Amino acid sequence: MAVLDKGIWYPNREEHELSAIDTFTPSKAIEAGRYHLYISLACPFAHRPYGVISYLGLEDVVSISSVAPERYEDGWLFNEEYPDEINQTKNLVELFILSHPAYSGKVTVPILWDKVRNVIIGNDSASLAMDFATRWLPLAKNKFNLVPENYKNEIIALNEWLHGNVNRRVYNFGFAQDQKTYNTSSEIFFDALEILNARLKKSRYLFDDEITLPDLFLMPTLVRFETVYEIHFKANKQRLNSFENLYRYMLDLVAIPNLRKTVDINHSKLHYYMSHKHINPTGIVPAGPKIAW
Ligand SMILES: N[C@@H](CCC(=O)N[C@@H](CS)C(=O)NCC(=O)O)C(=O)O
């Protein structure tokens, strides 16, 4: 992978080789127009806070832009179609250095930028999503409570479970370098889909009939399944539509315009197939598959 070590970019160094990893200090101030969320339209983790902002109608309060689909040796890039209109940098590495000149750690999306202090104030998708869903709710156009108090602890626990068993897990076997790793992680992932499928037989969404935050954690993986993960990550133990309730659930979610507009299949395909040369050396992007939704 790739990291910054004291402000120097190493495209082939691992995070565990760093002597220290820097973190960002969140801002407590909730202020319309003050922050910008940098995402990649391809990234399922960035999709969490993006989904919350779109579903709640917070776009006029927090601006959003995406990096370009390709990610090579220089990391995430901006280009003419996907510019950095806030800081005019050419890539995310430059943006991290602008904020924290001696930064050590990975250079990932999403990041939340404070336009007043000109610094990054967060790069953890789960906590950004939780923050927008709760502290920012008073500024939202659509005041849906994604974290009802009676489910709060269960929601936090389910988000973590989804992260380990589903959202991150598909990468574990997609990037596996040996059969055993692939088999183990594929098994865990498809077992988790089975559990979710059974759960969704009893309710429309993960918690009853209203959308809650974990739905916006699960959706990003499901919408990338057929066009990317099934082929590129060899996630083909079962077809997604063989999980009847889970598939119905995904269709329900993408039928909601504020969620559907956060899904960019073409951008995702371009990113995954072109950028992961270690598993797709030619960088060829498949023409299909045609999907039903
Ligand atoms: N801190 C993260 C990780 C997000 C993440 O893994 N983002 C990926 C894209 S999907 C990334 O930017 N990877 C670049 C890298 O690992 O160098 C989060 O917010 O959950």
Side-chain angles (χ1 to χ4, degrees):
M1 286 315 278
V3 289
L4 271 172
D5 191 358
K6 298 192 177 66
I8 297 171
W9 177 241
Y10 295 92
N12 295 309
R13 198 176 278 189
E14 300 291 330
E15 199 180 23
H16 65 78
E17 296 175 60
L18 295 171
S19 47
I21 294 170
D22 293 320
T23 51
F24 299 104
T25 317
S27 166
K28 295 214 178 349
I30 306 275
E31 234 177 275
R34 176 164 175 175
Y35 304 102
H36 184 81
L37 184 72
Y38 289 95
I39 61 164
S40 156
L41 286 163
C43 174
F45 307 102
H47 204 162
R48 297 167 173 172
Y50 180 31
V52 173
I53 288 174
S54 182
Y55 186 62
L56 297 183
L58 278 165
E59 299 98 328
D60 296 339
V61 173
V62 180
S63 55
I64 303 176
S65 67
S66 176
V67 292
E70 311 88 327
R71 184 181 176 286
Y72 302 127
E73 287 267 293
D74 291 336
W76 291 110
L77 306 174
F78 299 106
N79 63 17
E80 260 177 38
E81 200 182 348
Y82 296 97
D84 174 10
E85 284 180 346
I86 309 297
N87 292 295
Q88 287 76 44
T89 61
K90 62 179 190 313
N91 60 41
L92 218 60
V93 169
E94 207 180 298
L95 188 71
F96 270 63
I97 293 172
L98 183 67
S99 168
H100 287 62
Y103 176 79
S104 292
K106 285 171 61 147
V107 174
T108 54
V109 282
I111 70 161
L112 190 62
W113 182 268
D114 181 344
K115 293 188 254 186
V116 171
R117 287 172 49 231
N118 288 320
V119 286
I120 297 173
I121 55 158
N123 74 334
D124 175 60
S125 60
S127 42
L128 290 174
M130 177 60 88
D131 205 41
F132 287 127
T134 53
R135 289 200 315 132
W136 287 78
L137 192 57
L139 269 60
K141 268 194 212 131
N142 317 316
K143 296 202 180 346
F144 300 125
N145 187 359
L146 290 168
V147 189
E149 200 49 46
N150 53 327
Y151 284 138
K152 191 166 180 202
N153 292 337
E154 282 174 77
I155 284 176
I156 293 169
L158 184 57
N159 284 348
E160 282 172 13
W161 184 86
L162 287 169
H163 184 82
N165 292 279
V166 179
N167 306 138
R168 183 58 75 186
R169 183 62 60 181
V170 73
Y171 282 79
N172 296 151
F173 66 90
F175 288 155
Q177 295 295 313
D178 60 83
Q179 193 67 51
K180 192 163 171 271
T181 308
Y182 170 85
N183 290 351
T184 311
S185 273
S186 163
E187 199 83 1
I188 293 171
F189 176 83
F190 281 94
D191 285 353
L193 295 192
E194 198 60 72
I195 291 168
L196 292 164
N197 192 50
R199 180 172 180 143
L200 290 164
K201 191 178 176 152
K202 299 186 211 116
S203 61
R204 183 164 189 194
Y205 299 115
L206 289 169
F207 286 93
D208 307 331
D209 292 340
E210 300 295 336
I211 293 179
T212 57
L213 192 56
D215 295 308
L216 303 186
F217 277 46
L218 180 52
M219 187 189 92
T221 296
L222 299 181
V223 297
R224 286 164 179 75
F225 189 103
E226 295 163 292
T227 48
V228 178
Y229 299 154
E230 187 173 358
I231 307 151
H232 188 58
F233 282 173
K234 306 184 184 79
N236 65 354
K237 188 166 177 251
Q238 268 179 255
R239 307 297 302 271
L240 189 61
N241 61 9
S242 70
F243 298 97
E244 209 179 313
N245 311 309
L246 197 56
Y247 205 77
R248 180 274 306 154
Y249 161 84
M250 179 187 72
L251 296 181
D252 281 355
L253 289 172
V254 295
I256 298 167
N258 279 348
L259 293 180
R260 183 62 183 86
K261 71 179 185 211
T262 64
V263 180
D264 190 330
I265 288 176
N266 195 40
H267 193 108
S268 299
K269 283 177 67 178
L270 290 176
H271 165 65
Y272 282 89
Y273 292 106
M274 292 196 311
S275 308
H276 300 153
K277 289 282 170 64
H278 56 304
I279 55 170
N280 188 34
T282 59
I284 289 172
V285 184
K290 227 183 164 124
I291 47 170
W293 43 281

